Amino acid sequence: MNKLKTFPQINTLINDESLKSHPFYIKAFFCKKVVSKFKENNTQNVSSKENLLLEIQKEIKAFYQKDLQSVINASGVVIHTNLGRSVIDKELYRACEEVLCNYSNIEFNLQSGKRGSRYALVLEKLKMLFECEEALVVNNNAAAVFLVLNSLCFDKEIISSRGELVEIGGSFRIPEVIKAAGVKLTEVGTSNKTHLKDYEKAINENTALILKTHKSNFALMGFHSEVHIKDLHCLAKDRGLLSYYDLGSGWCENLNKKLIKNEPKIKKLVQECDILSFSGDKLFGSVQAGIILGKKELIEKLGQNQLLRMLRVDKLTLAFLNESLKAYLEKDYEKITSLKLLNDDLSFIEEKALKTQKELKFQSELKRSKSLVGGGSMPDKSLDTCVLAFKGAALKLQDKFRSQNIIGRIENDEFVLDFRTIREEEIQKLIFKINQMENL
Ligand SMILES: *Cc1c(COP(=O)(O)O)cnc(C)c1O
């Protein structure tokens, strides 16, 4: 007998009483998926209608569980790329709502009644904050690097230190981005040491630009040296070339004193090169965006590149970025959540941990520990923090807490919750979720 004939019609499954409460698109998708899965794997005898329906129900349930949902970041990593990097402040979010849930003047000049520039408001604020000639915003910093190199160096050569040809987040590799932008890379120096004379020797008539890339997600120990952007800029200027600093992260204002040593401050660096770029959602603490600052004539060139249209940002991004920039300009740093979490002092963190510990039905031990900045920022630095450590098999506990959307970490074979990244407004939710568990 033909095996396929034993399967119930898809429509019979979709219309089955047991699936009545589910929306058509969702159940139709999983009915088809389950039937083809059974056709591929199973013999006729297990493909009864009941078995199929059971599997369809399971898939639909899993589908709802997979939905985008909030988690409690108890990992201690403030800028956690897998958990959405920087958290958007609620007040800042509400300020955007008014603009986003109505028509807006996004590309309309209210004074002249004519078409306006989509970027104007945000760019003005960027220029104020960073005291630079010109600014531009694109989708993310990867797009910024691509746009800068493609606009300023297409078909030409750029020079980069071998020590800075980094990979970030698994899919962004500097040498490959350079190539994809239509630019030839000349590597100089070695992985641990590059000197100014290495750059000097590599310059030829095709060279257009000297690139410096922040190492972001790793730190070198022992003998190493790199050339400061200021010196690269002098050399570039001397030889009629451009200098570009891919900062990746980079900080703006009011960052924890313990973290700023040797860390690039954007406002200072923008004076020390022709053009630079960084991510909107790393240390800057806003939304995903690539922020480009620098000389007016260069940024105008980027503006003329057709690519800009493809890399342009949505009104959602612009609205949030606009609010973050306002917060910076008004020195309202509490609204920059990543900064706030990085700046919180130990006594405040301890208070949150103690308050939680008291209300938990399970035993935990309060301990001192260290948390990381994360997000490809400051791999060599950590901050003092307080954790609650739980007794029991660490891996098992980790899974158990994760099933409640609480993401902790394992440290010295113990499962811990780091209170640097648990915000005050999450404490009650955290206590509730933990106390809901039957046992640990
Ligand atoms: C993070 C980073 C990027 C990529 O930025 P995204 O905003 O994630 O696209 C590029 N370069 C450096 C040096 C970085 O640290």
Side-chain angles (χ1 to χ4, degrees), residues 85 140-142 168 172 213-214 216 246-249 279 281-282 289 376:
R85 282 200 187 154
N140 51 28
N141 189 43
I168 288 141
F172 180 89
T213 308
H214 192 252
S216 295
D246 171 16
L247 270 181
S249 206
S279 294
D281 54 356
K282 291 187 184 166

PDB file of all heavy atoms in Angstrom, residues 85 140-142 168 172 213-214 216 246-249 279 281-282 289 376, ligand 1:
ATOM      1  N   ARG A  85      22.587  43.580  24.624  1.00  0.00           N
ATOM      2  CA  ARG A  85      23.525  44.672  24.923  1.00  0.00           C
ATOM      3  C   ARG A  85      22.954  45.684  25.916  1.00  0.00           C
ATOM      4  O   ARG A  85      22.701  45.307  27.041  1.00  0.00           O
ATOM      5  CB  ARG A  85      23.972  45.370  23.638  1.00  0.00           C
ATOM      6  CG  ARG A  85      25.026  44.559  22.902  1.00  0.00           C
ATOM      7  CD  ARG A  85      25.827  45.396  21.941  1.00  0.00           C
ATOM      8  NE  ARG A  85      26.709  44.551  21.146  1.00  0.00           N
ATOM      9  CZ  ARG A  85      27.155  44.868  19.944  1.00  0.00           C
ATOM     10  NH1 ARG A  85      26.821  46.009  19.380  1.00  0.00           N
ATOM     11  NH2 ARG A  85      27.966  44.040  19.306  1.00  0.00           N
ATOM     12  N   ASN A 140      24.629  49.932  12.269  1.00  0.00           N
ATOM     13  CA  ASN A 140      25.468  49.463  13.385  1.00  0.00           C
ATOM     14  C   ASN A 140      26.915  49.813  13.055  1.00  0.00           C
ATOM     15  O   ASN A 140      27.201  50.341  11.976  1.00  0.00           O
ATOM     16  CB  ASN A 140      25.301  47.961  13.652  1.00  0.00           C
ATOM     17  CG  ASN A 140      25.463  47.136  12.394  1.00  0.00           C
ATOM     18  OD1 ASN A 140      26.162  47.534  11.461  1.00  0.00           O
ATOM     19  ND2 ASN A 140      24.838  45.987  12.350  1.00  0.00           N
ATOM     20  N   ASN A 141      27.814  49.506  13.972  1.00  0.00           N
ATOM     21  CA  ASN A 141      29.199  49.906  13.728  1.00  0.00           C
ATOM     22  C   ASN A 141      29.831  49.110  12.594  1.00  0.00           C
ATOM     23  O   ASN A 141      30.712  49.604  11.896  1.00  0.00           O
ATOM     24  CB  ASN A 141      30.014  49.800  15.016  1.00  0.00           C
ATOM     25  CG  ASN A 141      31.393  50.401  14.859  1.00  0.00           C
ATOM     26  OD1 ASN A 141      31.523  51.470  14.268  1.00  0.00           O
ATOM     27  ND2 ASN A 141      32.405  49.717  15.344  1.00  0.00           N
ATOM     28  N   ALA A 142      29.379  47.877  12.406  1.00  0.00           N
ATOM     29  CA  ALA A 142      29.892  47.084  11.277  1.00  0.00           C
ATOM     30  C   ALA A 142      29.574  47.813   9.964  1.00  0.00           C
ATOM     31  O   ALA A 142      30.421  47.917   9.068  1.00  0.00           O
ATOM     32  CB  ALA A 142      29.262  45.696  11.292  1.00  0.00           C
ATOM     33  N   ILE A 168      35.090  40.083  15.829  1.00  0.00           N
ATOM     34  CA  ILE A 168      34.173  40.505  16.882  1.00  0.00           C
ATOM     35  C   ILE A 168      32.833  39.795  16.718  1.00  0.00           C
ATOM     36  O   ILE A 168      32.250  39.816  15.641  1.00  0.00           O
ATOM     37  CB  ILE A 168      33.990  42.034  16.874  1.00  0.00           C
ATOM     38  CG1 ILE A 168      35.265  42.684  17.404  1.00  0.00           C
ATOM     39  CG2 ILE A 168      32.827  42.455  17.739  1.00  0.00           C
ATOM     40  CD1 ILE A 168      35.640  43.918  16.705  1.00  0.00           C
ATOM     41  N   PHE A 172      32.031  39.230  12.449  1.00  0.00           N
ATOM     42  CA  PHE A 172      32.619  40.476  11.970  1.00  0.00           C
ATOM     43  C   PHE A 172      34.134  40.376  12.057  1.00  0.00           C
ATOM     44  O   PHE A 172      34.711  40.420  13.139  1.00  0.00           O
ATOM     45  CB  PHE A 172      32.112  41.648  12.818  1.00  0.00           C
ATOM     46  CG  PHE A 172      32.662  42.987  12.401  1.00  0.00           C
ATOM     47  CD1 PHE A 172      32.016  43.756  11.451  1.00  0.00           C
ATOM     48  CD2 PHE A 172      33.838  43.472  12.960  1.00  0.00           C
ATOM     49  CE1 PHE A 172      32.522  44.991  11.069  1.00  0.00           C
ATOM     50  CE2 PHE A 172      34.356  44.708  12.576  1.00  0.00           C
ATOM     51  CZ  PHE A 172      33.695  45.460  11.629  1.00  0.00           C
ATOM     52  N   THR A 213      42.153  49.930  14.829  1.00  0.00           N
ATOM     53  CA  THR A 213      40.966  49.250  15.344  1.00  0.00           C
ATOM     54  C   THR A 213      41.159  48.970  16.822  1.00  0.00           C
ATOM     55  O   THR A 213      42.215  48.456  17.221  1.00  0.00           O
ATOM     56  CB  THR A 213      40.757  47.906  14.612  1.00  0.00           C
ATOM     57  OG1 THR A 213      40.779  48.142  13.210  1.00  0.00           O
ATOM     58  CG2 THR A 213      39.439  47.264  15.004  1.00  0.00           C
ATOM     59  N   HIS A 214      40.151  49.299  17.601  1.00  0.00           N
ATOM     60  CA  HIS A 214      40.251  49.004  19.031  1.00  0.00           C
ATOM     61  C   HIS A 214      40.148  47.497  19.215  1.00  0.00           C
ATOM     62  O   HIS A 214      39.266  46.852  18.633  1.00  0.00           O
ATOM     63  CB  HIS A 214      39.121  49.705  19.792  1.00  0.00           C
ATOM     64  CG  HIS A 214      39.313  49.686  21.259  1.00  0.00           C
ATOM     65  ND1 HIS A 214      38.552  48.910  22.098  1.00  0.00           N
ATOM     66  CD2 HIS A 214      40.199  50.323  22.049  1.00  0.00           C
ATOM     67  CE1 HIS A 214      38.969  49.090  23.343  1.00  0.00           C
ATOM     68  NE2 HIS A 214      39.962  49.943  23.343  1.00  0.00           N
ATOM     69  N   SER A 216      39.082  45.773  21.523  1.00  0.00           N
ATOM     70  CA  SER A 216      37.746  45.474  22.070  1.00  0.00           C
ATOM     71  C   SER A 216      37.642  44.245  22.940  1.00  0.00           C
ATOM     72  O   SER A 216      37.492  44.344  24.143  1.00  0.00           O
ATOM     73  CB  SER A 216      36.706  45.344  20.945  1.00  0.00           C
ATOM     74  OG  SER A 216      36.565  46.564  20.301  1.00  0.00           O
ATOM     75  N   ASP A 246      38.418  52.812  14.247  1.00  0.00           N
ATOM     76  CA  ASP A 246      37.231  52.014  14.561  1.00  0.00           C
ATOM     77  C   ASP A 246      37.283  51.727  16.059  1.00  0.00           C
ATOM     78  O   ASP A 246      37.955  50.798  16.501  1.00  0.00           O
ATOM     79  CB  ASP A 246      37.228  50.709  13.742  1.00  0.00           C
ATOM     80  CG  ASP A 246      36.130  49.761  14.221  1.00  0.00           C
ATOM     81  OD1 ASP A 246      35.218  50.213  14.938  1.00  0.00           O
ATOM     82  OD2 ASP A 246      36.193  48.571  13.863  1.00  0.00           O
ATOM     83  N   LEU A 247      36.559  52.536  16.804  1.00  0.00           N
ATOM     84  CA  LEU A 247      36.606  52.453  18.265  1.00  0.00           C
ATOM     85  C   LEU A 247      35.819  51.268  18.819  1.00  0.00           C
ATOM     86  O   LEU A 247      36.062  50.828  19.929  1.00  0.00           O
ATOM     87  CB  LEU A 247      35.954  53.698  18.854  1.00  0.00           C
ATOM     88  CG  LEU A 247      36.795  54.902  19.124  1.00  0.00           C
ATOM     89  CD1 LEU A 247      35.920  55.987  19.720  1.00  0.00           C
ATOM     90  CD2 LEU A 247      37.877  54.537  20.108  1.00  0.00           C
ATOM     91  N   GLY A 248      34.833  50.816  18.060  1.00  0.00           N
ATOM     92  CA  GLY A 248      33.978  49.727  18.552  1.00  0.00           C
ATOM     93  C   GLY A 248      33.119  50.194  19.703  1.00  0.00           C
ATOM     94  O   GLY A 248      31.973  50.565  19.528  1.00  0.00           O
ATOM     95  N   SER A 249      33.704  50.219  20.878  1.00  0.00           N
ATOM     96  CA  SER A 249      32.973  50.726  22.030  1.00  0.00           C
ATOM     97  C   SER A 249      33.345  52.197  22.229  1.00  0.00           C
ATOM     98  O   SER A 249      33.050  53.015  21.393  1.00  0.00           O
ATOM     99  CB  SER A 249      33.285  49.867  23.241  1.00  0.00           C
ATOM    100  OG  SER A 249      32.231  49.915  24.142  1.00  0.00           O
ATOM    101  N   SER A 279      29.885  51.840  18.294  1.00  0.00           N
ATOM    102  CA  SER A 279      28.535  51.263  18.389  1.00  0.00           C
ATOM    103  C   SER A 279      27.654  52.103  19.311  1.00  0.00           C
ATOM    104  O   SER A 279      28.098  52.531  20.370  1.00  0.00           O
ATOM    105  CB  SER A 279      28.591  49.859  18.977  1.00  0.00           C
ATOM    106  OG  SER A 279      29.256  48.986  18.119  1.00  0.00           O
ATOM    107  N   ASP A 281      25.162  50.878  21.004  1.00  0.00           N
ATOM    108  CA  ASP A 281      24.623  50.105  22.129  1.00  0.00           C
ATOM    109  C   ASP A 281      25.685  49.407  22.971  1.00  0.00           C
ATOM    110  O   ASP A 281      25.379  48.527  23.764  1.00  0.00           O
ATOM    111  CB  ASP A 281      23.584  49.085  21.635  1.00  0.00           C
ATOM    112  CG  ASP A 281      24.120  48.177  20.537  1.00  0.00           C
ATOM    113  OD1 ASP A 281      25.271  48.391  20.103  1.00  0.00           O
ATOM    114  OD2 ASP A 281      23.398  47.263  20.116  1.00  0.00           O
ATOM    115  N   LYS A 282      26.950  49.797  22.813  1.00  0.00           N
ATOM    116  CA  LYS A 282      27.959  49.265  23.752  1.00  0.00           C
ATOM    117  C   LYS A 282      28.092  50.281  24.895  1.00  0.00           C
ATOM    118  O   LYS A 282      27.090  50.625  25.495  1.00  0.00           O
ATOM    119  CB  LYS A 282      29.269  49.011  23.022  1.00  0.00           C
ATOM    120  CG  LYS A 282      29.156  47.829  22.037  1.00  0.00           C
ATOM    121  CD  LYS A 282      30.501  47.482  21.435  1.00  0.00           C
ATOM    122  CE  LYS A 282      30.392  46.381  20.402  1.00  0.00           C
ATOM    123  NZ  LYS A 282      31.640  46.297  19.611  1.00  0.00           N
ATOM    124  N   ALA A 289      23.283  51.080  16.667  1.00  0.00           N
ATOM    125  CA  ALA A 289      23.536  52.087  15.640  1.00  0.00           C
ATOM    126  C   ALA A 289      25.040  52.173  15.445  1.00  0.00           C
ATOM    127  O   ALA A 289      25.807  51.773  16.317  1.00  0.00           O
ATOM    128  CB  ALA A 289      23.009  53.454  16.081  1.00  0.00           C
ATOM    129  N   GLY A 376      32.345  43.270  24.092  1.00  0.00           N
ATOM    130  CA  GLY A 376      33.564  43.656  23.414  1.00  0.00           C
ATOM    131  C   GLY A 376      34.145  44.928  24.016  1.00  0.00           C
ATOM    132  O   GLY A 376      34.695  45.760  23.325  1.00  0.00           O
TER     133      GLY A 376
HETATM  134  C1  LIG B   1      31.655  45.779  18.280  1.00  0.00           C
HETATM  135  C2  LIG B   1      32.639  46.215  17.266  1.00  0.00           C
HETATM  136  C3  LIG B   1      32.280  46.311  15.928  1.00  0.00           C
HETATM  137  C4  LIG B   1      30.909  45.931  15.442  1.00  0.00           C
HETATM  138  O1  LIG B   1      29.966  46.830  15.934  1.00  0.00           O
HETATM  139  P1  LIG B   1      28.392  46.463  15.857  1.00  0.00           P
HETATM  140  O2  LIG B   1      27.731  47.691  16.378  1.00  0.00           O
HETATM  141  O3  LIG B   1      28.187  45.260  16.684  1.00  0.00           O
HETATM  142  O4  LIG B   1      28.087  46.234  14.418  1.00  0.00           O
HETATM  143  C5  LIG B   1      33.234  46.732  15.038  1.00  0.00           C
HETATM  144  N1  LIG B   1      34.483  47.055  15.436  1.00  0.00           N
HETATM  145  C6  LIG B   1      34.865  46.982  16.719  1.00  0.00           C
HETATM  146  C7  LIG B   1      36.267  47.325  17.081  1.00  0.00           C
HETATM  147  C8  LIG B   1      33.955  46.561  17.692  1.00  0.00           C
HETATM  148  O5  LIG B   1      34.325  46.468  18.960  1.00  0.00           O
END
